[in-house]
Amino acid sequence: MFSWVKDSRGSDTETMYQTVTDGLHSLYTRKLQPLEETYLFHDFHSPALEPADFQSKPMVLLVGQYSTGKTTFIRYLLEQDFPGMRIGPEPTTDGFIAVMYGENEGVVPGNALVVDPKKPFRKLNAFGNSFLNRFICSQMPNQVLQSISIIDTPGILSGEKQRISRGYDFAEVLRWFGERVDRIILLFDAHKLDISDEFSEAIKAFRGQDDKIRVVLNKADQVDTQQLMRVYGALMWSLGKVINTPEVVRVFLGSFWAKPLQNTENRRLFEAESQDLFRDIQSLPRNAALRKLNDLIKRARLAKVHAYIISYLKKEMPTLFGREKKKEELIMRLPEIYSFLQREHHISPGDFPNVTKMQEMLQHYDFNKFPSLKMKLIESVDKMLASKIAVLMAMIREEESKQPPAMVSGGAFEGSQDGPFGRGYGEGISAGADAEDWIVSRDKHRYDEIFYTLMPVNGKITGVNAKKEMMNSRLPNTVLGKIWKLADCDHDGMLDDEEFALAQHLIKVKLEGYELPNELPDHLVPPASRDGASLVPEVSAASPS
């Protein structure tokens, strides 16, 4: 576990660091921050990072139009109300609420929050009082919040309402949060799929953070299956116009509140989708260090590109006359300059900032005061990306191997982990686990009729005869081979009536869409094979296919 500090002679000396977080903070302050400060990166793109940005818990940002269930979703995860919570069909949440862990329940106003060095919100001070008056931190002792923090946002307006000014740059605030959170969840209502202009601008503010975005189609129980298919298709079409990526964004369907489903025909789908979403959120603490490392790499690449742009503009400026005219010309030619720098420095087009926004911001600067290109700063960042980051990656793997993976627990995450309401309990391969009888025996009379038509010899059928019958399922040979290995409990290459019934049961389980186990569960072992544990097969024996 190493970091690197310049000594008085200018050479790199190695110093021990206890955690990946310490290493990330050290790399940023010693390697990247000098480049950012020299080329005014903080004025153009993002404020400087602080220790709290590296040490904070993973954060989840919820964004959506009003009445899509953002606040209710938080209430559902925590399984209790939080201070400052308001729920209603109208736009009730009119500000940003950071829901965080605290020993004492209460609310911290925005102006007090941005001066707290232990919270990662100090740089929000730049958005002024109009924003800070609508920003609070809701603290409470909740087990879920010991692992993650959740950011609730104002309901995004639609139609005539979106013309009302918020008094601060809403999209820029979202962009600030988007750069720092671990997960961005866009919530949609099954009855409210239109993406307003403000919602579109909000989604565009997350440009470059596509890997963090997840979409939740909430209140999906309020439509039937046919309507749900149409709603899902319409949502994907709407998102495709706003999120300009070739990959399809992950959409979770469900009804995320603790009330009975209005339409239960898709209950199994909703349960599977909610479990997938829960697992995604639960994994955030485990992947937090990797996410911060990834964000630091993205920031370093943007800072390098920004340095090339600024230094090029400086180089092209005349010394004395015609400065304003040249400045206007360079701003107009910025797309061409981007293309030239791509070729000159072998930079990917995706690393460049938005050209229109860059042109607007450059209007306010004197290009002659820009610094020239300082290769030592660029080389320092290149060295960080080439070698130092690799060491931190090794540290992350080392930390993971030394301690159990951190997972979000408590609240709704506990309700479906174990017991009869856990995912898949009593279904598929788990069916019959608590039954006193052998579950296969319930259909064995039907399987026996087939068995005796296959001409058993001494009570057993050969692999050739069994294969002909099993192929009728149309399952692939790889699946049928696995079923054979599970069913042939005594490994003799033949099946008796119980083993054949077991094979037919496993085929039925697979055809119903469930996965097969690698080892046969105890409750599925045929009664005649239960005397010795050694008879329970693993998937390694030979099969007729």
Side-chain angles (χ1 to χ4, degrees):
M1 297 182 287
F2 300 103
S3 184
W4 305 268
V5 183
K6 290 275 187 178
D7 65 12
S8 58
R9 295 166 295 179
S11 62
D12 280 354
T13 59
E14 292 181 346
T15 304
M16 294 294 290
Y17 276 94
Q18 296 301 315
T19 64
V20 174
T21 300
D22 291 340
L24 285 170
H25 184 224
S26 175
L27 279 185
Y28 174 72
T29 55
R30 298 179 184 280
K31 303 289 183 181
L32 184 54
Q33 194 169 8
L35 180 70
E36 293 182 351
E37 291 173 347
T38 301
Y39 293 99
L40 309 176
F41 180 87
H42 304 146
D43 296 337
F44 280 85
H45 300 289
S46 179
L49 299 178
E50 297 193 334
D53 291 309
F54 295 97
Q55 297 163 2
S56 62
K57 296 171 186 173
M59 291 191 287
V60 178
L61 178 68
L62 300 180
V63 181
Q65 297 187 155
Y66 72 90
S67 193
T68 52
K70 297 185 300 299
T71 307
T72 305
F73 182 79
I74 300 175
R75 169 73 179 77
Y76 177 69
L77 293 183
L78 303 181
E79 292 189 341
Q80 68 178 104
D81 294 346
F82 56 89
M85 183 186 86
R86 290 174 59 210
I87 295 175
E90 75 282 2
T92 49
T93 304
D94 60 351
F96 286 76
I97 304 177
V99 186
M100 308 181 77
Y101 182 82
E103 294 295 337
N104 300 311
E105 189 172 305
V107 171
V108 180
N111 283 288
L113 197 58
V114 295
V115 296
D116 185 350
K118 295 181 180 179
K119 297 285 193 298
F121 306 121
R122 283 163 60 97
K123 297 298 181 179
L124 285 170
N125 189 55
F127 293 103
N129 277 329
S130 294
F131 167 71
L132 295 178
N133 290 336
R134 293 176 175 83
F135 179 42
I136 62 171
C137 176
S138 175
Q139 293 185 327
M140 59 188 297
N142 183 282
Q143 191 176 353
V144 174
L145 300 176
Q146 288 181 328
S147 305
I148 59 172
S149 300
I150 307 173
I151 312 296
D152 194 9
T153 61
I156 293 177
L157 306 175
S158 60
E160 291 294 321
K161 294 176 182 176
Q162 67 188 10
R163 298 180 183 177
I164 303 170
S165 173
R166 293 184 183 271
Y168 59 91
D169 193 332
F170 180 66
E172 277 301 303
V173 173
L174 287 181
R175 189 173 75 86
W176 187 94
F177 275 109
E179 291 175 350
R180 287 159 176 79
V181 300
D182 296 71
R183 188 66 74 236
I184 300 166
I185 297 180
L186 305 179
L187 275 96
F188 288 86
D189 186 328
H191 294 98
K192 197 180 297 180
L193 296 179
D194 60 306
I195 299 180
S196 65
D197 291 345
E198 189 177 33
F199 199 4
S200 177
E201 289 301 313
I203 296 173
K204 289 175 182 176
F206 301 132
R207 179 179 178 266
Q209 313 296 336
D210 304 317
D211 57 316
K212 300 179 181 179
I213 295 177
R214 303 289 185 271
V215 175
V216 169
L217 180 57
N218 200 12
K219 307 181 184 180
D221 64 319
Q222 297 180 9
V223 295
D224 60 31
T225 302
Q226 185 179 23
Q227 290 173 326
L228 183 60
M229 290 174 62
R230 292 173 179 168
V231 166
Y232 182 83
L235 175 60
M236 297 303 292
W237 180 80
S238 298
L239 288 172
K241 296 194 299 180
V242 182
I243 302 177
N244 296 318
T245 58
E247 298 84 10
V248 177
V249 66
R250 177 66 163 97
V251 178
F252 298 91
L253 310 174
S255 180
F256 296 94
W257 65 346
K259 293 194 177 181
L261 296 175
Q262 293 188 23
N263 194 324
T264 59
E265 61 187 67
N266 293 311
R267 182 187 186 105
R268 184 177 161 192
L269 169 66
F270 297 155
E271 288 174 352
E273 290 284 287
S274 67
Q275 289 299 319
D276 286 348
L277 179 59
F278 284 177
R279 276 196 296 271
D280 186 70
I281 296 174
Q282 281 184 300
S283 70
L284 294 180
R286 185 175 67 244
N287 300 324
L290 198 58
R291 194 276 303 171
K292 289 171 183 173
L293 180 64
N294 185 54
D295 283 355
L296 186 68
I297 294 170
K298 286 196 288 187
R299 188 181 179 101
R301 292 166 70 94
L302 179 59
K304 272 183 58 182
V305 171
H306 180 75
Y308 285 130
I309 295 170
I310 295 298
S311 59
Y312 181 87
L313 296 175
K314 164 70 174 180
K315 185 180 71 173
E316 293 295 305
M317 287 297 289
T319 309
L320 294 174
F321 304 108
R323 293 181 178 180
E324 282 301 315
K325 186 176 180 181
K326 186 64 175 178
K327 174 181 173 179
E328 291 177 12
E329 178 194 331
L330 288 171
I331 292 175
M332 287 293 294
R333 287 183 47 234
L334 194 59
E336 298 173 31
I337 294 171
Y338 276 18
S339 298
F340 171 78
L341 293 175
Q342 285 175 36
R343 296 189 301 271
E344 181 77 9
H345 300 286
H346 309 290
I347 303 169
S348 168
D351 289 346
F352 282 80
N354 181 276
V355 66
T356 305
K357 184 179 176 184
M358 195 71 176
Q359 286 172 323
E360 292 174 0
M361 297 192 71
L362 286 170
Q363 299 281 358
H364 308 292
Y365 289 87
D366 182 353
F367 290 6
N368 287 91
K369 293 182 179 178
F370 285 165
S372 302
L373 187 62
K374 298 179 181 177
M375 285 308 299
K376 282 190 175 180
L377 292 174
I378 298 288
E379 289 168 0
S380 178
V381 172
D382 282 338
K383 185 177 180 182
M384 177 190 82
L385 293 172
S387 59
K388 313 302 186 188
I389 294 294
V391 178
L392 283 183
M393 284 290 295
M395 285 178 61
I396 291 175
R397 289 191 288 269
E398 186 182 343
E399 284 189 0
E400 288 177 348
S401 65
K402 288 184 176 179
Q403 52 189 324
M407 296 281 281
V408 180
S409 58
F413 298 100
E414 295 291 328
S416 58
Q417 293 297 313
D418 302 306
F421 296 99
R423 184 181 182 184
Y425 188 93
E427 300 176 357
I429 209 70
S430 301
D434 336 357
E436 294 183 4
D437 62 331
W438 185 42
I439 188 171
V440 181
S441 64
R442 300 173 190 178
D443 294 315
K444 190 171 180 297
H445 64 282
R446 292 194 295 107
Y447 302 146
D448 283 348
E449 291 178 7
I450 302 171
F451 177 79
Y452 288 110
T453 65
L454 299 176
M455 297 177 293
V457 177
N458 297 325
K460 294 194 174 186
I461 59 174
T462 63
V464 174
N465 289 345
K467 179 179 178 179
K468 290 177 183 177
E469 175 60 32
M470 292 170 70
M471 291 284 285
N472 290 333
S473 68
R474 299 184 181 181
L475 289 171
N477 281 358
T478 52
V479 175
L480 293 175
K482 185 173 185 177
I483 290 173
W484 173 273
K485 293 168 189 173
L486 291 168
D488 185 14
C489 296
D490 55 8
H491 315 301
D492 63 352
M494 304 178 76
L495 299 181
D496 61 21
D497 60 324
E498 287 187 345
E499 291 173 332
F500 178 76
L502 173 60
Q504 292 297 104
H505 177 77
L506 293 174
I507 288 173
K508 177 186 173 187
V509 167
K510 186 62 181 177
L511 290 175
E512 289 175 349
Y514 297 98
E515 292 301 317
L516 297 172
N518 290 323
E519 186 175 333
L520 193 66
D522 291 343
H523 71 279
L524 287 182
V525 176
S529 301
R530 292 183 181 178
D531 294 333
S534 61
L535 295 178
V536 179
E538 292 185 2
V539 180
S540 58
S543 70
S545 56

